[in-house]
């Protein structure tokens, strides 16, 4: 008898789970009875996503009944999803490429990429040629660029990341030329790797690096082209390795999409942009 | 009559569960092959083992698609971890079972269970901020095959220790009593009676540990350096097949994405080979 009860409970719960699932999924797919609530889907860059989430929250609180759904997946996914119509807005943490000219980009903030080394390293400045030489394995020891006698640990980003593309473009390198000793994923892993290795050199998002060094992480931000790596210089437009954070659409935005993009570009969200260590754009 | 009905019901329910489990594996395989097909078609299977290096983002025509260094990376780090963790795990289980007084054995077992429950990302973070700088101090760069081996050993140690422990408690009491009656020493009992009786269980625990080591992703991704190369020494950075997928999947498009599924297929093939070897050995020698 108890055996039978367990079985009945098992099947009832199984059926109800299935029913619950199909019910909720159909509710999401169709416009259904809750057509009053509208939804915007954003996909793409993991650099832009946290900012988009914050902007989305503020937008939702000002427009009850509207939901902003943000999913990450990289800049290339963002542009591809916008093109295929899988997302209302794509997110890209770089300028649009020539092959993406069919899309429209809306810059919501600026970010920079800066080269960082360990805080104990005696080197304070490297020329663009020296950095290119280090990353392409022509320079292997810190003493060749005025530092201590120690082999250089080159920290590179993994294939397909927008930060990597911005870095390669500025230093005119190809990824296959780079001889890395360590390959990392996100900025945070980069900061941890470089702060844990006296002889490491790498590059990360300037905001992340500035936040880290202001909070006692032993890293040093190297200037680029003679300009100090700070978000202030980025805002002034003097720091050379910068990238726009973009919203991307396939067609001229209208309705809710236009409203959201305008909101993201307005000064109503400048405090959110600064909180994420990005630089607001003035339209 | 009533009993018969519920039995029939149970049998069918169990059959359904078994079928479901089997179908899930097949579905995963079909999905993997389906996703990997574009790359296999555009790039060709031979280039995954013959290209100069791994630069898949440039597309099928200009990119490089060699998976062999990652295959070796996975093999080296797994083998290293199993070689370190097996004697430690078996030793730990023997200590717990035959040498430790029960006041120590109980808490000790709980500690090992705790070790098994720590999420892998915690091991990875510890490796990244503690272990890697230590290795880097005496042999730069730090993130290396060695770091991966140490972290993986610690991670699969509890699997091997706990399963061996469970196997040891299944050795029939009569065997031990018989050994005691013959006047065998404690070590003599272990070597002559316990090991032969528990052989298959210990072997299974090592295989399960190996499986966990092959599949481990996050911790390995954080401490191994992820450079695509065949290592010359244990201080060289490596990339495993799992880390390759985790590192690049979120940013991969088209053929690059598909190539990562090929990487998954190779991983699947490795697991199948492991299971096949286990099956072969267990049929041939261990369960006799």
């Amino acid at each position: 008898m108890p055996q039978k009860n367990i079985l009945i409970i098992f099947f009832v719960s199984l059926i109800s789970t299935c029913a619950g699932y199909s019910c909720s999924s159909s509710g999401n797919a169709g416009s259904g009875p809750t057509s009053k609530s509208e939804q915007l889907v954003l996909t793409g860059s993991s650099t832009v996503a946290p900012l988009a989430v914050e902007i989305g929250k503020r937008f939702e609180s000002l427009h009850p009944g509207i939901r902003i759904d943000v999913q990450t997946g990289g800049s290339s996914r963002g542009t591809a999803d916008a093109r295929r119509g899988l997302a209302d807005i794509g997110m890209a943490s770089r300028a649009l490429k020539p092959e993406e000219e069919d899309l429209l980009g809306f810059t919501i903030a600026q970010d920079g990429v800066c080269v960082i080394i360990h805080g104990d390293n005696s080197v304070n400045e490297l020329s663009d040629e020296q950095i290119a030489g280090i990353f392409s394995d022509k320079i292997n020891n810190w003493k060749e660029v005025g530092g201590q006698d120690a082999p250089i640990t080159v920290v590179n980003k993994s294939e397909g990341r927008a930060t990597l593309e911005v870095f390669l473009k500025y230093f005119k390198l190809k990824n296959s030329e780079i001889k890395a000793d360590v390959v990392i994923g996100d900025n945070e892993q980069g900061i941890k790797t470089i702060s844990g290795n006296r002889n490491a050199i790498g590059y990360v998002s300037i905001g992340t690096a500035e936040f880290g060094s202001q909070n006692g992480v032993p890293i040093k931000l190297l200037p680029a082209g003679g300009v100090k790596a700070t978000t202030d210089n980025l805002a002034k437009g003097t720091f050379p390795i910068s990238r726009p954070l973009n919203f991307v659409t396939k067609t001229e935005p209208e309705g809710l999409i236009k409203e959201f993009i305008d909101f993201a570009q307005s000064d109503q969200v400048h405090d959110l942009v600064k909180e994420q260590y990005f630089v607001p754009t003035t339209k | 009559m009533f009993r018969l009905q519920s039995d029939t019901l149970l049998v069918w329910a169990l059959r359904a569960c078994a079928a479901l489990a089997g179908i899930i594996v097949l579905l995963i395989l079909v999905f993997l092959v389906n996703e990997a097909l574009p790359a296999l078609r555009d790039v060709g299977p031979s280039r995954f083992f013959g290209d100069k290096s791994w630069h898949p983002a440039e597309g099928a025509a200009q990119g490089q698609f060699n998976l062999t260094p990652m295959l070796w990376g996975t093999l080296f780090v797994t083998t290293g971890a199993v070689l370190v963790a097996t004697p430690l795990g078996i030793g730990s289980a023997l200590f717990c079972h035959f040498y430790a007084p029960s006041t120590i054995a109980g808490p000790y077992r709980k500690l090992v269970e705790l070790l098994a429950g720590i999420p892998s990302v915690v091991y990875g973070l510890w490796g990244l901020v503690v272990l890697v700088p230590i290795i880097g101090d005496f042999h730069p760069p730090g993130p290396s095959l060695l770091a991966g081996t140490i972290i993986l050993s610690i991670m699969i140690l509890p699997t091997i220790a706990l399963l061996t422990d469970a196997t040891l408690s299944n050795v029939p009491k009569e065997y031990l009593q018989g050994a005691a009656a013959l006047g065998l020493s404690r070590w003599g009992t272990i070597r002559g009676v316990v090991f032969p009786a528990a052989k298959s269980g210990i072997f299974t625990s090592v295989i399960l540990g190996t499986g966990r080591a092959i599949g481990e992703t996050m911790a390995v991704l954080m401490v191994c350096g992820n450079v695509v190369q065949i290592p010359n020494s244990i201080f060289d950075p490596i990339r495993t097949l799992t880390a390759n997928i985790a590192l690049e999947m979120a940013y991969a498009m088209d053929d690059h994405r598909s190539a990562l599924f090929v990487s998954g297929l190779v991983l699947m093939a490795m697991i199948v080979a492991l299971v096949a070897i286990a099956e072969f050995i267990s049929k041939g020698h261990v369960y006799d």
Side-chain angles (χ1 to χ4, degrees), chain A residues 51 54 58 100 103 153 158 167 193 208 210 228 258 265 275:
Chain A
L51 177 61
E54 291 305 317
R58 186 166 290 177
E100 292 164 349
L103 301 170
T153 302
S158 68
F167 177 83
T193 303
T208 322
E210 200 173 67
K228 266 189 86 176
K258 180 172 167 43
Q265 288 183 312
E275 266 171 34

Side-chain angles (χ1 to χ4, degrees), chain A residues 74-172:
Chain A
S75 298
S76 302
R77 163 108 357 106
T79 54
D81 282 357
R83 182 179 285 144
R84 289 185 207 140
L86 292 175
D88 298 309
I89 300 172
M91 300 176 286
S93 53
R94 54 168 167 73
L96 291 179
K97 295 177 181 176
E99 65 263 29
E100 292 164 349
E101 260 176 1
D102 54 320
L103 301 170
L104 298 162
F106 302 90
T107 303
I108 59 163
Q110 286 282 334
D111 182 28
V113 175
C114 72
V115 174
I116 58 170
I117 56 176
H118 192 275
D120 292 350
N121 199 320
S122 56
V123 172
N124 287 315
E125 194 160 354
L126 291 170
S127 70
D128 291 355
E129 292 76 37
Q130 282 174 325
I131 291 174
I134 288 172
F135 275 86
S136 55
D137 215 29
K138 292 187 193 85
I139 299 171
N140 290 309
N141 197 304
W142 281 111
K143 71 179 178 194
E144 292 174 60
V145 291
Q148 66 271 44
D149 181 11
I152 300 176
T153 302
V154 172
V155 181
N156 197 21
K157 284 239 173 189
S158 68
E159 196 102 337
R161 304 248 168 182
T163 323
L164 170 75
E165 287 174 28
V166 172
F167 177 83
L168 293 177
K169 200 174 152 205
Y170 178 79
F171 288 101
K172 299 184 184 66

Side-chain angles (χ1 to χ4, degrees), chain B residues 81-82 85-93 108-109 111-118 120 123 151-168 201-216:
Chain B
V82 171
T86 302
L88 287 175
I90 294 175
S92 149
Y108 176 78
R109 196 169 288 141
L111 272 181
V112 178
E113 279 167 16
L114 197 64
L115 202 60
I118 297 173
S120 72
Y123 284 106
I151 291 285
L152 268 190
S153 306
I154 300 173
M155 291 181 71
I156 66 171
L157 178 62
T159 309
I160 297 178
L162 291 173
L163 288 171
T164 304
D165 193 59
T167 308
L168 292 182
I202 294 175
F203 182 72
T204 311
S205 77
V206 174
I207 290 291
L208 281 170
T210 313
R212 182 165 186 210
I214 291 181
E216 175 46 41

